[in-house]
Amino acid sequence: NAGVTQTPKFRILKIGQSMTLQCTQDMNHNYMYWYRQDPGMGLKLIYYSVGAGITDKGEVPNGYNVSRSTTEDFPLRLELAAPSQTSVYFCASSYVTGTGGHGELFFGEGSRLTVL
Amino acid sequence: AQSVTQPDIHITVSEGASLELRCNYSYGATPYLFWYVQSPGQGLQLLLKYFSGDTLVQGIKGFEAEFKRSQSSFNLRKPSVHWSDAAEYFCAVGGNAGNMLTFGGGTRLMVKP
């Protein structure tokens, strides 16, 4: 099993450009997440999905969009990139039971994005 | 709203010394608590978790953590640190509603030879 795979690992964007960060998991997890990590700030939740076709905003959703057409894939779209979106982005997945119990989050290796 | 505070941004310990990383949380009900470790350039890996039951939980790599409800704390400990433990450590809290975790700001551990 590959686990959670993110691409690209590094990307430099110019202000106003758009791009998509790809995330795929092969563990048949129902929940998927996008976090951003900034120095000293921990991880902030951008968007999450509880299953195919269902997404919801996290703590810092502005400037981003997501979709979940399959269980495996959860791409993150940046529209009109801004310097404030310079960060390291992590995709994660977990299996949550019907009772809502927390499962372990499995993380990808991250995508470092710089907006100049 | 739930929150997590890790008061120590950086900690340096000598190899073989004991370690305690602090974590304080705010949550309105019984929390689900986690410690994750992040090595440079890597994603986060789960060290241990507390859901219920025994308040002293054992994790991987010789780590343990103790849940103290009265102090709203979930400190991470290791009796003898190895150079390979140098990394960033994150405490996280979540609840029963969905599975959304809130992470602390992290503590970067450096190990002196």
Side-chain angles (χ1 to χ4, degrees):
Chain A
N1 284 353
V4 179
T5 303
Q6 292 180 235
T7 56
K9 292 193 184 310
F10 303 94
R11 182 74 185 267
I12 298 175
L13 282 180
K14 294 182 179 179
I15 294 172
Q17 287 185 321
S18 300
M19 76 159 298
T20 299
L21 298 177
Q22 301 291 345
C23 176
T24 187
Q25 54 96 3
D26 62 0
M27 297 173 283
N28 202 31
H29 285 169
N30 49 356
Y31 278 51
M32 295 188 75
Y33 318 79
W34 276 104
Y35 288 91
R36 61 176 288 171
Q37 182 182 29
D38 301 297
M41 303 298 290
L43 280 76
K44 302 292 186 185
L45 183 64
I46 304 171
Y47 271 95
Y48 67 96
S49 168
V50 303
I54 306 170
T55 63
D56 207 348
K57 296 177 180 179
E59 186 179 358
V60 290
N62 291 345
Y64 308 95
N65 278 300
V66 294
S67 60
R68 183 107 181 262
S69 57
T70 67
T71 299
E72 295 78 18
D73 300 307
F74 190 44
L76 177 71
R77 176 94 178 148
L78 281 72
E79 305 282 2
L80 300 174
S84 60
Q85 294 178 303
T86 294
S87 188
V88 180
Y89 292 84
F90 287 97
C91 180
S93 71
S94 69
Y95 183 72
V96 180
T97 66
T99 57
H102 281 263
E104 175 183 353
L105 266 64
F106 291 80
F107 285 84
E109 293 188 346
S111 299
R112 184 176 293 275
L113 176 66
T114 302
V115 182
L116 300 174
Chain B
Q2 61 199 53
S3 65
V4 178
T5 301
Q6 293 180 246
D8 305 303
I9 297 175
H10 297 279
I11 284 185
T12 300
V13 299
S14 298
E15 191 168 17
S18 63
L19 171 70
E20 182 169 29
L21 302 183
R22 296 183 291 164
C23 172
N24 294 100
Y25 68 89
S26 173
Y27 191 74
T30 300
Y32 293 69
L33 293 159
F34 305 79
W35 275 100
Y36 283 84
V37 60
Q38 183 183 31
S39 298
Q42 301 295 311
L44 280 71
Q45 180 186 21
L46 182 68
L47 279 177
L48 48 79
K49 59 190 176 188
Y50 171 79
F51 287 175
S52 63
D54 192 347
T55 57
L56 184 64
V57 293
Q58 303 296 321
I60 62 171
K61 305 184 181 185
F63 285 91
E64 66 178 26
E66 186 171 12
F67 171 56
K68 292 186 177 180
R69 184 188 300 275
S70 62
Q71 298 177 19
S72 297
S73 69
F74 189 57
N75 294 350
L76 182 71
R77 301 194 294 249
K78 187 171 185 178
S80 177
V81 169
H82 188 263
W83 64 266
S84 61
D85 293 324
E88 190 154 21
Y89 293 79
F90 293 92
C91 182
V93 66
N96 224 353
N99 198 27
M100 304 313 118
L101 296 191
T102 297
F103 286 83
T107 297
R108 183 168 296 278
L109 173 66
M110 291 172 281
V111 180
K112 293 191 298 185

